[in-house]
């Protein structure tokens, strides 16, 4: 087999122990250990020495003192703390080996005990030396291998020296070299591995089967096999080291050297070779080998020395190699160290360097992959292993091997600050490596929004749309900041990728921004918004509505109308439910959410007044056209705002493209405005509408407002101001009967404008109405008609009126004259009567009582009014005549009323101000003798 050169290191410290006990100075020592914190030595005199950790030795005689008898093999069964010794006569040609079992604990306490001798029979009449021995942990079985090729199994209660059974498992033509037991935890399954110089076999000794399973037609030498912790058989042959299980051969480890001994320490294999291997130092006195004196150099040549090698099969390296002068007599692995017994009576102590020291050795040689493997096999924590990857990456980076360095840096994710690696690869030529690192960072879930931004920027700068798509579409848990990813894709112009992320993660605002602002796909944006909830669509329409209106005004307007109507319905339903103390249905909208209000979106139509008119018309038609709906306060405000805004738009000449309102699409904007003002369902703010109509010179609208308000006088003033004689005539015909005062204003107007058509006829009507209702005195009428220089009324126009007034006045004078004469005569008669009562006697000639009509008798009472009564008929009437008392009371009430009215000065002045003829008021007031009750107070 070709030599396979392994890397060799000095991972073990070697020390030669001095001042050893006398037991180590004996010749031909046999060394054994198998756990239990003890080392066993057997010398040529038949003594066995037990050495503890403090190198305190307890010795006992284990072999007979017959010549040539000595201990040839020892096996420590640490599970039962039992030492098995094989005693043979090495001087005789043939002899029967004696096998003894020694209780170790009793030996340590008492020093001399009787062993248990294992009883067995030689498999042949010709005795052969015992070349191999093995025992189960419970010592229920002992396997014996002889030089004649026989394998004998002894089973039973061996420790109690009771009956045992023996059978020959196998007979081979070659000597048996090694035996090893493997048992399960319960001890029910027992397997025996055996090697000869030509075969490797396995036996199942749990039952009565005796035929072996041949693992390989090759064997090994004595002491060149062992069982590892995984219950695998390790066999050391000259060309390599092999592993076996019950199923066959496993992997091998190439190491070319003639091997004479194989032991195990932790995961290391300890080898002793009969001659220096290719791995050994060139000199017998190696770096870690103890110095040889001159005598040793002369007696022992290089070929006589044995090379001791420590193999690390996991990491594929030589952990130590050195020469043991005199050959390796035995190897013990106790107390966490390795002890090698040399042929010159030396005891070399090998201790493993700690992991940091071993790694430092590898660092100095830049063997970072090996350092990583060693750290992992040494159960190094992940953070420390990542530190090794970082060292390896830094070294590769210093060699300008950026790709390989990045592969190492990727293994540090989660332990090394990403900014350390990122700064190294920010150069534009290394963006590919940086992209790979950042992608792994996201896969590991360790990326921040900054890392996402950087990764996506790398994709965009490399214009690697394929990897960008793969990064976005193949993520399952999306370990990155989605908002940042969308922002970066948008900035770089990768709109499809940004839209995919926005749609997948319901980033509605960003999705609409991409559709509206970047792709100008307004139709798709509107369709997307229609799928949203009412609350969301309200917010997004408020944000993107203006841009949508500029591109697709009709579709956007219809969507805005639908949303506003839904909001109004929801608020109305909630208000009704609240008024009736009922919970709104589950499917009803959440009215606490900011639903789109009509007044809050009118600014979206700033550049589209015609579509604002269409929007308002559609809302009014669908919501308020029929009237009769009970509105909440907020909707009432919306309705007023809609009517007022629509009126303003009409007055500014804006025409709706939809023509929702009005009987005909051929109406002008002013005609629509007039229809709007006259609509019985229109809820328009009167003052605002008046200002709008006035500022736009819309006389018809102002007239409609006055008419709607019932202000006929103001309406007449409007017609007078604009010389609208026909409208004025119609107004007087319609409302003159109810409000005759209108004719006074018309009279003044006509007096100033005699040149108007139909002026004379209308003037005659006005004079007739004023005369009929006595609205003005003739003097004031004549002053109104001719009191101004601008008046153009001729005498012929008012001749009839003047004549009628003169005749009426003449008749009133005659009537008044007759009334004065009558009042004068009546006054004179009363005055004479009063004088007669005061100065002349009264003769009472009545003979009957006015009440009972019986003849008067005494006592009787006579009044000045010529009425007489029996005193008994008067009763308690007092001093007044019962017959005349009612008339007297009426006169008294009139006098008292005049007295009271004489003090009501405010009433007097009010009547004076309201009257057309103040003189009549004063005359009437004086007729009631206001000063008759005045009391003069002396000052």
């Amino acid at each position: 087999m070709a030599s396979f050169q392994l890397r060799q290191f000095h991972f073990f410290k070697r020390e030669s122990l001095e001042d050893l006990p006398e037991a180590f100075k004996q010749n031909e020592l046999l060394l054994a250990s198998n756990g239990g914190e003890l080392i066993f030595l057997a010398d040529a005199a038949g003594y066995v020495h037990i050495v503890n950790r403090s190198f305190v030795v307890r010795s006992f005689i284990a072999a007979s003192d017959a010549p040539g008898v000595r201990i040839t093999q020892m096996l420590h069964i640490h599970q039962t703390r039992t030492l098995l010794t094989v005693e043979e006569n090495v001087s005789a040609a043939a002899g029967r080996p004696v096998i003894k079992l020694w209780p170790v604990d009793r030996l340590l306490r008492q020093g001399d005990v009787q062993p248990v001798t294992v009883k067995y029979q030689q498999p042949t009449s010709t005795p052969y030396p015992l070349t191999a021995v093995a025992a189960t942990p419970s010592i229920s079985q002992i396997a014996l291998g002889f030089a004649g090729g026989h394998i004998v199994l002894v089973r039973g209660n061996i420790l109690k020296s009771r009956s045992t059974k023996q059978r020959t498992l196998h007979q081979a033509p070659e000597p048996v070299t090694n035996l090893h037991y493997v048992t399960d935890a319960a001890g029910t399954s027992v397997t025996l591995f055996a090697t000869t110089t030509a075969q490797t076999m396995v036996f199942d000794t749990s039952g009565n089967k005796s035929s072996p399973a041949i693992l390989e037609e090759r064997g090994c030498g004595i002491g060149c096999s062992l069982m590892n912790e995984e219950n695998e058989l390790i066999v050391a042959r000259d060309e390599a080291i092999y592993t076996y299980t019950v199923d066959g051969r496993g992997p091998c480890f190439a190491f070319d050297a003639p091997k004479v001994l194989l032991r195990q320490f932790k995961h290391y294999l300890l080898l002793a070779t009969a001659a220096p291997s290719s791995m050994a130092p060139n000199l017998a006195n190696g770096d870690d080998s103890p110095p040889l004196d001159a005598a040793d150099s002369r007696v022992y040549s290089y070929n006589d020395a044995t090379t001791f090698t420590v193999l690390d099969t996991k990491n594929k390296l030589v952990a130590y190699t050195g020469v043991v002068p005199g050959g390796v007599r035995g190897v013990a692995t106790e107390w966490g160290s390795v002890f090698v017994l040399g042929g010159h009576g030396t005891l070399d102590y090998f201790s493993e360097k700690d992991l940091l020291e071993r790694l430092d050795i590898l660092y100095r040689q830049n063997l970072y992959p090996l350092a990583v493997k060693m750290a992992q096999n040494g159960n190094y924590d992940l953070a420390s292993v990542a530190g090794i990857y970082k060292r390896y990456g830094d070294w590769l980076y210093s060699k300008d091997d950026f790709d390989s360095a990045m592969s190492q840096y990727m293994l540090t994710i989660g332990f090394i600050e990403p900014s350390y690696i990122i700064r190294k690869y920010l150069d534009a030529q290394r963006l590919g490596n940086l992209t790979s690192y950042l992608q792994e960072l996201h896969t590991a879930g360790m990326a921040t929004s900054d890392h996402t931004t950087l990764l996506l920027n790398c994709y965009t700068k490399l214009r690697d749309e394929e990897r960008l798509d793969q990064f976005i579409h193949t993520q399952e848990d999306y370990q990155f900041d989605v908002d940042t990813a969308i922002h970066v894709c948008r900035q770089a112009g990768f709109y499809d990728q940004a839209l995919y992320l926005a749609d997948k993660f319901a980033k509605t605002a960003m999705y609409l921004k991409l559709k509206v602002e970047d792709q100008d796909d307004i139709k798709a944006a509107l369709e997307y918004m229609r799928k949203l909830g009412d609350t969301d669509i309200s917010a997004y329409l408020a944000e993107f509505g203006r841009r949508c209106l500029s591109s697709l005004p009709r579709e956007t307007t219809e969507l805005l109308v639908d949303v506003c109507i839904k909001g109004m319905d929801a608020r109305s339903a909630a208000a009704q439910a609240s008024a009736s103390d009922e919970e709104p249905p589950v499917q009803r909208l959440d009215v606490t959410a900011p639903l789109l209000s009509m007044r809050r979106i009118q600014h979206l139509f700033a550049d589209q007044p015609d579509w604002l008119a269409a929007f308002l018309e559609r809302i009014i038609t669908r919501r308020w056209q029929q009237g009769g709906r009970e509105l909440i306060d907020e909707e009432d405000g919306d309705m007023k705002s809609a009517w007022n805004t629509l009126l303003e738009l009409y007055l500014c000449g804006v025409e709706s493209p939809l023509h929702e309102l009005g009987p005909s699409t051929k109406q002008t904007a002013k005609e629509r405005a007039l229809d709007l003002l006259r609509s019985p369902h229109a809820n328009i703010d009167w003052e605002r509408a008046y200002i709008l109509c006035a500022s736009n010179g819309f006389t018809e609208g102002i007239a409609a407002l006055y008419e709607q308000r019932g202000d006929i006088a103001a309406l007449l003033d409007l017609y007078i101001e604009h010389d609208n004689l026909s409208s004025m005539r119609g107004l007087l015909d319609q409302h003159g009967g109810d409000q005759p005062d209108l004719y006074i204003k018309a009279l003044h107007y006509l007096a100033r404008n005699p040149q108007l058509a139909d002026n004379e006829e209308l003037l005659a009507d006005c004079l007739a109405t004023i005369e009929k209702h006595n609205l003005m005195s003739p003097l004031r009428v004549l002053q109104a008609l001719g009191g101004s220089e601008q008046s153009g009324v001729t005498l012929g126009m008012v001749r009839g009126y003047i004549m009628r007034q003169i005749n009426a006045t003449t008749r009133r004078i005659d009537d008044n004259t007759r009334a004065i004469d009558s009042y004068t005569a009546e006054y004179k008669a009363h005055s004479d009567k009063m004088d007669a009562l005061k100065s002349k006697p009264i003769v009472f000639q009545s003979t009957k009582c006015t009440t009972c009509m019986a003849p008067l008798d005494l006592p009787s009472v006579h009044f000045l009014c010529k009425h007489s009564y029996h005193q008994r008929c008067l009763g308690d009437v007092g001093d007044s005549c019962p017959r005349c008392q009612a008339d007297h009371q009426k006169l008294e009430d009139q006098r008292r009323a005049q007295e009271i009215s004489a003090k009501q000065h405010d009433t007097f002045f009010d009547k004076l101000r309201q009257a057309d003829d103040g003189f009549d008021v004063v005359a009437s007031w004086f007729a009631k003798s206001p000063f008759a009750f005045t009391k003069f107070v002396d000052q």
Side-chain angles (χ1 to χ4, degrees):
M1 178 179 290
S3 177
F4 180 73
Q5 187 71 25
L6 296 175
R7 291 184 180 273
Q8 53 181 323
F9 304 91
H10 288 286
F11 289 159
F12 281 80
K13 299 177 183 178
R14 177 178 180 179
E15 298 179 16
S16 293
L17 300 180
E18 305 294 338
D19 300 327
L20 295 173
E22 290 297 325
F24 287 92
K25 299 178 181 179
Q26 303 296 322
N27 294 327
E28 300 181 5
L29 286 175
L30 180 64
L31 179 66
S33 71
N34 189 25
E37 301 292 323
L38 297 173
I39 294 178
F40 299 90
L41 297 172
D43 59 19
Y47 280 89
V48 173
H49 309 281
I50 305 176
V51 184
N52 63 12
R53 187 165 190 160
S54 301
F55 280 85
V56 176
V57 179
R58 295 292 299 272
S59 303
F60 66 94
I61 184 70
S64 65
D65 54 358
V69 177
R70 59 178 298 175
I71 303 299
T72 57
Q73 293 188 60
M74 285 192 301
L75 176 64
H76 180 215
I77 308 166
H78 66 89
Q79 291 89 345
T80 56
R81 302 281 287 178
T82 301
L83 178 67
L84 183 151
T85 60
V86 178
E87 174 185 332
E88 290 185 272
N89 190 336
V90 297
S91 61
R96 181 175 179 275
V98 179
I99 303 173
K100 298 179 180 180
L101 299 174
W102 304 85
V104 175
D105 293 335
R106 291 176 59 192
L107 286 172
L108 293 175
R109 290 195 305 269
Q110 303 174 12
D112 188 12
V113 296
Q114 289 297 322
V116 174
T117 302
V118 179
K119 299 177 181 179
Y120 73 97
Q121 296 180 358
Q122 286 277 9
T124 60
S125 58
T126 303
Y128 287 97
L130 186 63
T131 54
V133 63
T136 60
S138 62
I139 317 181
S140 60
Q141 293 185 20
I142 295 178
L144 306 176
F146 294 91
H150 296 82
I151 299 176
V152 176
L153 176 65
V154 180
R155 61 195 307 171
N157 195 348
I158 300 174
L159 285 176
K160 300 297 184 180
S161 298
R162 295 178 182 174
S163 60
T164 59
K165 296 181 180 180
Q166 173 182 332
R167 63 188 178 97
T168 300
L169 291 178
H170 182 67
Q171 181 177 359
E174 305 86 9
V176 179
T177 54
N178 299 280
L179 295 172
H180 303 282
Y181 270 113
V182 176
T183 61
D184 59 6
T188 56
S189 175
V190 182
T191 303
L192 177 66
F193 286 91
T195 63
T196 66
T197 56
Q199 285 183 328
T200 300
M201 300 168 288
V202 62
F203 301 86
D204 183 4
T205 61
S206 302
N208 296 322
K209 289 179 61 177
S210 59
S211 58
I214 307 299
L215 298 178
E216 191 171 6
E217 292 292 343
R218 298 175 66 193
C220 65
I222 297 175
C224 290
S225 68
L226 57 84
M227 297 300 300
N228 63 12
E229 295 179 352
E230 288 77 22
N231 290 333
E232 295 175 332
L233 177 67
I234 309 299
V235 176
R237 300 191 181 103
D238 291 348
E239 73 282 359
I241 298 171
Y242 300 88
T243 59
Y244 296 91
T245 64
V246 294
D247 299 322
R249 196 178 85 176
C252 67
F253 184 82
F255 186 75
D256 190 9
K259 304 168 184 66
V260 295
L261 183 65
L262 175 65
R263 295 289 182 268
Q264 187 173 20
F265 174 68
K266 297 181 180 178
H267 65 280
Y268 297 104
L269 293 180
L270 310 177
L271 293 173
T273 56
S277 70
S278 60
M279 299 297 168
N282 292 329
L283 298 175
N285 188 11
D287 294 338
D288 288 346
S289 301
L292 302 177
D293 55 24
D296 290 335
S297 299
R298 287 191 301 271
V299 174
Y300 298 100
S301 67
Y302 180 79
N303 292 328
D304 293 331
T306 300
T307 301
F308 178 71
T309 303
V310 180
L311 289 180
D312 185 348
T313 56
K314 287 185 178 180
N315 299 314
K316 302 295 188 297
L317 57 85
V318 176
Y320 177 83
T321 181
V323 175
V324 179
V328 177
R329 301 292 297 173
V331 176
T333 57
E334 296 293 342
W335 313 311
S337 302
V338 178
F339 296 90
V340 178
L341 181 63
H344 291 169
T346 60
L347 185 64
D348 292 332
Y349 166 74
F350 294 86
S351 62
E352 185 183 14
K353 296 179 181 179
D354 60 46
L355 185 56
L356 290 177
E357 290 185 81
R358 286 178 278 154
L359 292 177
D360 188 61
I361 293 172
L362 297 176
Y363 294 157
R364 291 196 297 267
Q365 300 182 38
N366 297 322
L367 299 175
Y368 296 102
L370 189 56
V372 169
K373 190 175 182 181
M374 181 175 292
Q376 292 173 338
N377 292 331
N379 296 323
Y380 226 34
D381 62 275
L382 297 178
S384 301
V385 174
I388 301 174
Y389 285 128
K390 175 182 171 295
R391 280 174 173 263
Y392 189 21
D394 291 344
W395 181 73
L396 292 171
Y397 188 89
S398 65
K399 301 296 183 181
D400 295 336
D401 189 356
F402 303 117
D403 295 340
S404 300
M406 179 53 73
S407 64
Q408 300 304 315
Y409 287 140
M410 287 181 184
L411 300 174
T412 67
I413 292 176
F415 302 99
I416 303 301
E417 180 62 34
S419 59
Y420 174 82
I421 293 98
I422 292 172
R423 283 195 297 267
K424 291 177 174 288
Y425 286 86
L426 287 177
D427 189 274
Q429 297 177 350
R430 301 169 193 165
L431 286 181
N433 298 120
L434 180 58
T435 302
S436 301
Y437 176 78
L438 292 171
Q439 194 163 347
E440 288 296 324
L441 198 65
H442 282 79
T443 302
M446 306 298 295
T448 65
S449 60
D450 293 334
H451 297 146
T452 302
T453 304
L454 185 57
L455 175 59
L456 296 174
N457 277 322
C458 289
Y459 284 144
T460 55
K461 288 186 179 300
L462 294 172
R463 307 309 296 176
D464 193 348
E465 187 172 359
E466 181 180 356
R467 292 180 67 183
L468 177 60
D469 283 337
Q470 182 181 7
F471 174 75
I472 291 175
H473 289 81
T474 60
Q475 295 289 322
E476 294 182 358
D477 50 358
Y478 286 89
Q479 296 290 335
F480 58 82
D481 186 83
V482 177
D483 291 331
T484 303
I486 296 173
H487 177 71
V488 173
C489 291
R490 184 187 181 194
Q491 280 190 329
F494 289 93
Y495 299 128
D496 292 338
Q497 290 78 6
L499 284 169
Y500 172 81
L501 291 174
D503 184 42
K504 185 175 184 64
F505 291 95
K507 302 293 182 179
T508 307
M510 185 56 69
Y511 184 91
L512 292 175
K513 282 184 179 179
L514 289 163
K515 282 292 185 184
V516 174
E517 298 176 4
D518 297 317
Q519 292 189 330
D520 199 25
D521 191 356
I522 307 301
K523 184 177 180 180
L526 292 175
E527 292 175 355
Y528 184 84
M529 281 192 280
R530 282 195 176 274
K531 300 176 184 178
L532 302 177
D534 295 286
T535 302
D536 294 331
I537 194 174
S538 300
Y540 299 129
L541 276 175
E543 183 176 358
F544 303 107
R546 179 171 295 183
R547 182 69 178 271
C548 294
L549 280 169
S550 63
S551 298
L552 294 175
R554 180 181 295 273
E555 291 80 358
T556 307
T557 301
E558 291 176 353
L559 181 58
L560 288 169
V561 169
D562 292 341
V563 173
C564 287
I565 293 295
K566 283 186 179 180
M568 294 175 187
D569 291 339
R571 294 187 187 95
S572 298
Q576 293 174 3
S578 177
S580 59
D581 296 329
E582 296 179 359
E583 290 294 330
V586 176
Q587 68 271 18
R588 190 165 292 159
L589 295 175
D590 181 12
V591 295
T592 61
L595 296 173
L596 197 60
S597 172
M598 189 194 69
R599 283 177 288 176
R600 296 175 184 171
I601 64 169
Q602 292 185 15
H603 69 280
L604 301 177
F605 295 91
D607 302 328
Q608 305 281 338
D610 51 342
W611 285 103
L612 175 58
F615 168 75
L616 296 174
E617 286 181 356
R618 184 65 64 85
I619 291 287
I620 291 171
T621 302
R622 293 178 55 181
R623 187 71 180 174
W624 304 307
Q625 181 71 30
Q626 301 303 323
R629 183 191 299 271
E630 184 177 353
L631 305 178
I632 61 175
D633 293 340
E634 184 175 356
E635 186 175 353
D636 185 63
D638 286 344
M639 181 177 66
K640 290 180 179 179
S641 176
W643 287 107
N644 292 328
T645 305
L646 186 60
L647 174 62
E648 184 176 358
L649 292 171
Y650 284 160
L651 292 177
C652 293
V654 176
E655 295 190 11
S656 166
L658 300 180
H659 300 292
E660 288 285 337
L661 297 178
S664 173
T665 58
K666 297 181 180 180
Q667 284 183 311
T668 64
K670 292 294 180 68
E671 291 172 343
R672 290 181 179 276
L674 189 59
D675 290 343
L676 195 67
L677 290 171
R678 291 174 177 172
S679 172
H681 306 297
N683 191 349
I684 298 175
D685 183 78
W686 195 93
E687 287 78 7
R688 181 176 177 181
Y690 179 83
I691 294 173
L692 291 173
C693 291
S695 60
N696 287 276
F698 187 38
T699 306
E700 294 85 348
I702 298 176
L705 289 172
Y706 284 146
E707 186 176 357
Q708 183 187 57
R709 199 172 187 179
D711 194 349
I712 306 303
L715 181 58
L716 181 61
D717 291 337
L718 179 67
Y719 291 153
I720 290 173
E721 181 182 355
H722 292 85
D723 298 327
N724 192 344
L725 197 62
S726 60
S727 298
M728 185 172 65
R729 186 180 187 88
L731 182 66
L732 291 173
D733 292 340
Q734 183 178 0
H735 299 283
D738 299 331
Q739 302 182 37
D741 290 343
L742 298 175
Y743 287 95
I744 298 175
K745 291 185 178 182
L747 180 65
H748 287 282
Y749 170 72
L750 295 173
R752 295 192 303 268
N753 299 277
Q755 74 281 0
L756 297 176
D758 299 330
N759 184 16
E760 186 174 353
E761 182 181 355
L762 183 57
L763 179 61
D765 291 342
C766 291
L767 291 174
T769 304
I770 292 173
E771 182 181 4
K772 177 181 178 182
H773 295 280
N774 195 19
L775 300 177
M776 295 175 65
S777 65
L779 181 60
R780 287 187 60 188
V781 172
L782 293 176
Q783 288 176 346
L785 294 174
S788 173
E789 296 180 357
Q790 298 177 355
S791 176
V793 180
T794 62
L795 182 61
M797 295 180 181
V798 296
R799 181 185 300 275
Y801 172 77
I802 294 175
M803 293 303 296
R804 288 193 301 274
Q805 290 298 318
I806 291 174
N807 293 333
T809 303
T810 302
R811 286 193 299 273
R812 283 198 302 272
I813 292 173
D814 294 340
D815 292 340
N816 290 337
T817 301
R818 285 191 296 271
I820 291 172
D821 293 341
S822 174
Y823 289 152
T824 302
E826 186 178 355
Y827 173 75
K828 186 175 183 341
H830 283 296
S831 296
D832 292 343
K833 187 176 181 179
M834 290 176 63
D835 291 340
L837 289 174
K838 292 178 181 180
S839 60
K840 296 179 180 180
I842 303 299
V843 179
F844 299 99
Q845 296 178 351
S846 178
T847 59
K848 291 182 180 181
C849 177
T850 304
T851 300
C852 63
M853 299 305 292
L856 288 173
D857 57 5
L858 296 177
S860 61
V861 178
H862 302 276
F863 293 93
L864 294 178
C865 60
K866 301 295 184 73
H867 293 140
S868 299
Y869 301 91
H870 292 114
Q871 188 176 8
R872 61 179 178 274
C873 292
L874 288 175
D876 297 330
V877 298
D879 297 334
S880 300
C881 173
R883 177 70 61 87
C884 300
Q885 187 176 10
D887 295 336
H888 293 165
Q889 186 64 41
K890 179 186 282 188
L891 293 174
E892 182 64 24
D893 290 342
Q894 291 177 355
R895 188 194 66 79
R896 190 178 293 112
Q898 289 178 359
E899 183 179 359
I900 293 173
S901 64
K903 299 177 182 180
Q904 296 176 346
H905 308 297
D906 294 338
T907 303
F908 169 73
F909 287 111
D910 288 340
K911 290 184 176 181
L912 187 62
R913 281 192 296 267
Q914 295 174 3
D916 293 329
D917 191 354
F919 181 79
D920 288 343
V921 176
V922 175
S924 174
W925 203 263
F926 271 97
K928 296 177 182 178
S929 302
F931 302 111
F933 309 97
T934 304
K935 296 180 180 180
F936 296 97
V937 180
D938 295 336
Q939 298 294 329

